[in-house]
Amino acid sequence: GAGAIEIRRAILAEYPADLVVWGQIGYDYMRLGRYSDAVDALRKQLERDSTDAASHINMATSLGHGTERAEGLKHYAKAFALQPSYLMITNLNHEYGRALILAGRPTDARQVFDTILKGDPDQRAQGERSIALLKMYQGTYGEAIERFRKATLLSQAPRRELTEARNRMFLASAQQEKGWRDSAAAELRAPHALFRKAYFEPQFLLYLGKALVLGQQLPLAVEVR
């Protein structure tokens, strides 16, 4: 938070040549949603150490919230060149692919998503979900449904209730777009059942309740709300 930034700036005042503190300040600003300040701090960090892969990722994320997405993609590419294993981190893989889609490069995004399909079940589940979302974006709902089904099966594991619930909600959305209302209704009941036995954060429950309302399952929606 802001307090941590002040402490880090005090460290810099004492040790101006420190090789990591600007990167930490940039990350703190990014977490606070102060993306312009984050970019400024991360530029200082990368001037000191251009091989800092984590700062390249944070720079790409921060730039993605502004108008410099093309520069952000360069930082993503640099980070993955420095640390190829980063591409197998589920959230980073999805964020990079999403950035490529927004840049009008869906074929490149698909290649990124395909990479993570070679990983463990959690990684494969994310890859299937990302590809499914790409297919929905492209309007090919039949393939999206099949991909969401695969993601759902892969996420049926202990302590993965929230992931499974998300995948089932996405699946229901694709089925609704396809006109399969009965199937979509059944899929929405599954996240509700998971909600009864596992903790879901309030933000997710807001989305689940809204989906149940749209799916005309009002008693379940009222319970979730």
Side-chain angles (χ1 to χ4, degrees):
I5 292 171
E6 292 305 314
I7 293 171
R8 299 194 203 284
R9 286 189 178 276
I11 294 172
L12 275 173
E14 189 75 20
Y15 305 101
D18 189 284
L19 292 177
V20 300
V21 176
W22 274 118
Q24 295 169 341
I25 291 172
Y27 177 73
D28 289 335
Y29 275 133
M30 184 185 73
R31 291 287 301 273
L32 290 170
R34 295 172 58 178
Y35 299 111
S36 178
D37 290 330
V39 167
D40 290 341
L42 291 165
R43 287 198 198 283
K44 292 183 175 69
Q45 173 65 24
L46 292 171
E47 287 170 1
R48 287 164 169 73
D49 181 7
S50 63
T51 66
D52 184 349
S55 287
H56 280 291
I57 290 289
N58 293 335
M59 176 70 88
T61 301
S62 298
L63 289 168
H65 286 272
T67 60
E68 301 177 81
R69 288 176 177 167
E71 184 182 352
L73 287 175
K74 293 178 183 178
H75 284 282
Y76 275 125
K78 180 68 172 178
F80 296 129
L82 290 165
Q83 290 286 350
S85 63
Y86 278 13
L87 198 58
M88 297 298 287
I89 298 175
T90 54
N91 65 305
L92 295 185
N93 183 282
H94 180 73
E95 289 170 13
Y96 184 35
R98 180 177 180 275
L100 288 166
I101 292 168
L102 293 174
R105 297 167 55 184
T107 301
D108 292 335
R110 175 59 188 269
Q111 291 177 351
V112 169
F113 298 149
D114 281 344
T115 300
I116 207 169
L117 293 178
K118 303 170 185 175
D120 62 29
D122 287 341
Q123 291 167 324
R124 299 203 310 274
Q126 178 62 69
E128 295 290 357
R129 181 201 291 177
S130 295
I131 293 171
L133 290 169
L134 172 59
K135 291 302 175 181
M136 283 190 72
Y137 176 77
Q138 294 173 324
T140 52
Y141 297 108
E143 185 172 352
I145 287 168
E146 291 306 312
R147 293 287 182 172
F148 282 133
R149 282 176 174 158
K150 291 179 181 179
T152 298
L153 288 172
L154 287 164
S155 59
Q156 289 178 344
R159 297 181 300 280
R160 295 295 184 272
E161 290 88 357
L162 181 58
T163 301
E164 181 185 348
R166 283 198 178 104
N167 287 333
R168 288 189 180 278
M169 285 176 64
F170 281 127
L171 174 55
S173 177
Q175 289 173 333
Q176 287 170 346
E177 292 291 341
K178 192 75 171 173
W180 301 353
R181 299 193 179 278
D182 290 343
S183 296
E187 288 299 335
L188 285 176
R189 287 194 290 273
H192 176 267
L194 291 167
F195 142 76
R196 283 186 162 181
K197 70 176 186 178
Y199 172 80
F200 292 161
E201 69 265 17
Q203 185 69 25
F204 177 78
L205 294 181
L206 179 66
Y207 293 128
L208 176 56
K210 182 178 179 180
L212 289 166
V213 170
L214 293 174
Q216 300 182 346
Q217 302 194 53
L218 296 183
L220 301 186
V222 169
E223 182 183 352
V224 169
R225 295 279 180 158

